[in-house]
Amino acid sequence: MVRLVHRGAANLDGVQLRLTGYWLVWDELAQYLAIGTAEWLDFLGIFGQSIARNFLNPPALTDRFFTLLIFIHIAVPLFLLFAMWIHILRINRADTNPPRQLVIGSGIMLLVLSLIHPAQSHPPADLGKATAVLNPDWFYMALYPLYDIKGPAVAWATAIGLTLALSVMPWMAFGRKRSAAAVVSPPNCNGCGNCASDCPFGAVVLRPRQDGSGHREIAVMQPDLCTGCGICVASCNKSNPFLRGDPHQTGIDLPDFAFDLVVKRASARTHGLVGDNRVLVLGCDHGAVLDHLKGPSVGVLSLHCTGMVAPSLIDYVLNKDLADGVLVTGCRPGECFHRLGPEWTELRLAGERVPKLRGAVPRQRVRLFWAASTETRALATELAEFRVALAELPKPERPPTTQRRTAG
């Protein structure tokens, strides 16, 4: 490793070089960046005198410049780390650890790239001449050539414009209409806390109850935090198992897609299915498209999120012989539009999280397959394999035809 330092900073930099490889290398590229950044700032006219004057000749560049750079390289990352810490504190169920496969893959990629194109130092900086040939990092330094070609005004406008675009991007709806927030029904809420525990965004909280119902707590919705995913609806113990009645009442529900409507649509989507391997496909609006799967023996129902699939709904479909099997699909884990739909669904159907799928429900007639919006062909293949597997299972005893479509 080449050691390129500035006079009085030699001892300090030498120690850092032995510990970290190289730090604040003062080569031609560093000279170009330092002068270019100073000219950028001078264009704003917010300083009493030109910063770029410090680079007129070597004696004008004192050790204070390098001390300032060291401070900036430490203070700015610490400030960003503090801001990130505050941001994470405001996120419900924040997961800061990336998947192991991603870490391993990224590490291998960086290692291979470092072998193919290793980082190299330029010749030592010389303020007495202008640099002519550079090998910049185009990811971090793309705006500097733009500054050289178009001038500081265009460079500043581009930098500010890109920053503003990235800042407002999380608030851009991209044409999606936000679903209505869930609503709590006090007469049907017993304060079990399942909805508060399952909400990915912390939109549901429990508060002391004061209506004389006999229950100590009640769920309270914070509409500003609710995304209308419906995960809370599927977690309500009034939905699992849902009771006979019309309409089906729950402790918390979506105004635009109530649990009763989900039940009725499941009955409608399975009505008229024929064959011995009839399947109801339950998916989400953000996963693979389901319409192309429709057929004489296949019905489809798309929900706001796979987390809306209450275990009792699957129980209902199979118990009432509305279908011979249920295929549940949606966004892949870690890619869920509503964050935790696949995870909660897997745990519920495996009996590891309440509400649980009843043990009497034949698990071989329920299948999970996560598919992104680009994996419609893989989902179709999985459906075909599932139907073949259903055809090989023993035929269940079916109720008389006049009772098979009872909806309560």
Side-chain angles (χ1 to χ4, degrees):
M1 184 62 64
V2 180
R3 182 157 69 101
L4 303 171
V5 298
H6 181 266
R7 296 184 301 160
N11 292 333
L12 175 61
D13 197 46
V15 173
Q16 294 300 329
L17 284 169
R18 288 192 294 269
L19 294 176
T20 63
Y22 65 90
W23 189 28
L24 296 181
V25 176
W26 187 235
D27 58 5
E28 289 185 348
L29 180 60
Q31 175 185 337
Y32 168 78
L33 294 176
I35 297 176
T37 303
E39 292 175 346
W40 272 40
L41 296 175
D42 285 341
F43 175 78
L44 299 177
I46 59 178
F47 299 98
Q49 59 182 359
S50 173
I51 303 176
R53 290 172 58 91
N54 295 313
F55 301 94
L56 293 177
N57 50 64
L61 193 62
T62 66
D63 294 338
R64 294 181 61 185
F65 169 73
F66 292 92
T67 303
L68 177 62
L69 286 185
I70 293 174
F71 173 78
I72 293 175
H73 279 71
I74 295 177
V76 172
L78 286 178
F79 172 78
L80 294 177
L81 182 62
F82 180 71
M84 186 180 299
W85 175 68
I86 295 177
H87 176 67
I88 291 175
L89 288 179
R90 300 185 65 222
I91 298 177
N92 190 49
R93 301 181 184 276
D95 187 0
T96 58
N97 295 322
R100 180 178 302 176
Q101 297 86 344
L102 180 61
V103 174
I104 296 175
S106 300
I108 294 176
M109 178 191 69
L110 292 174
L111 176 61
V112 172
L113 290 177
S114 66
L115 295 176
I116 296 176
H117 189 66
Q120 297 179 353
S121 296
H122 290 67
D126 185 355
L127 297 179
K129 64 178 183 180
T131 55
V133 179
L134 293 172
N135 182 27
D137 185 323
W138 291 100
F139 182 80
Y140 291 103
M141 307 174 191
L143 289 178
Y144 285 88
L146 177 64
Y147 169 83
D148 292 338
I149 299 173
K150 298 294 185 179
V154 174
W156 272 116
T158 303
I160 295 174
L162 290 176
T163 301
L164 292 177
L166 293 175
S167 299
V168 302
M169 188 175 293
W171 285 271
M172 295 176 64
F174 294 107
R176 294 185 182 273
K177 182 180 179 180
R178 182 169 180 172
S179 301
V183 177
V184 177
S185 173
N188 296 302
C189 177
N190 61 7
C192 67
N194 290 348
C195 53
S197 176
D198 281 5
C199 180
F201 305 96
V204 189
V205 294
L206 294 179
R207 294 287 185 261
R209 193 157 189 160
Q210 300 175 351
D211 57 3
S213 66
H215 301 294
R216 294 194 304 176
E217 295 180 313
I218 186 173
V220 176
M221 174 58 60
Q222 303 177 90
D224 292 343
L225 300 179
C226 180
T227 64
C229 63
I231 292 178
C232 57
V233 179
S235 69
C236 180
N237 60 11
K238 288 288 186 178
S239 308
N240 299 274
F242 58 82
L243 304 177
R244 294 178 180 273
D246 191 7
H248 300 286
Q249 299 290 336
T250 62
I252 188 170
D253 218 335
L254 295 180
D256 63 340
F257 204 174
F259 182 71
D260 181 67
L261 180 59
V262 174
V263 176
K264 286 181 168 53
R265 285 190 178 179
S267 299
R269 299 296 191 272
T270 54
H271 183 73
L273 296 183
V274 297
D276 294 327
N277 51 358
R278 300 163 300 148
V279 174
L280 174 63
V281 181
L282 299 173
C284 81
D285 297 336
H286 306 283
V289 179
L290 305 182
D291 289 342
H292 72 289
L293 301 177
K294 293 179 181 178
S297 300
V298 179
V300 301
L301 177 57
S302 182
L303 308 173
H304 292 341
C305 176
T306 303
M308 284 187 68
V309 179
S312 59
L313 178 63
I314 298 176
D315 191 350
Y316 170 76
V317 171
L318 296 179
N319 184 48
K320 295 296 183 181
D321 193 33
L322 304 184
D324 299 304
V326 177
L327 174 61
V328 181
T329 184
C331 307
R332 293 179 296 188
E335 301 176 4
C336 177
F337 186 84
H338 297 289
R339 295 182 59 191
L340 296 175
E343 286 85 347
W344 284 175
T345 302
E346 285 187 354
L347 293 175
R348 291 168 181 172
L349 299 188
E352 299 177 6
R353 187 178 185 88
V354 293
K356 303 177 182 179
L357 184 64
R358 280 196 318 133
V361 177
R363 295 302 194 274
Q364 64 272 28
R365 295 189 178 274
V366 182
R367 181 169 294 194
L368 292 175
F369 183 76
W370 306 121
S373 58
T374 57
E375 297 177 312
T376 53
R377 182 174 300 180
L379 178 59
T381 301
E382 183 69 18
L383 173 61
E385 295 177 355
F386 182 40
R387 295 188 62 200
V388 171
L390 290 175
E392 297 175 352
L393 294 176
K395 300 296 185 293
E397 294 185 5
R398 293 178 175 174
T401 305
T402 56
Q403 300 179 10
R404 284 176 58 183
R405 295 296 167 184
T406 302

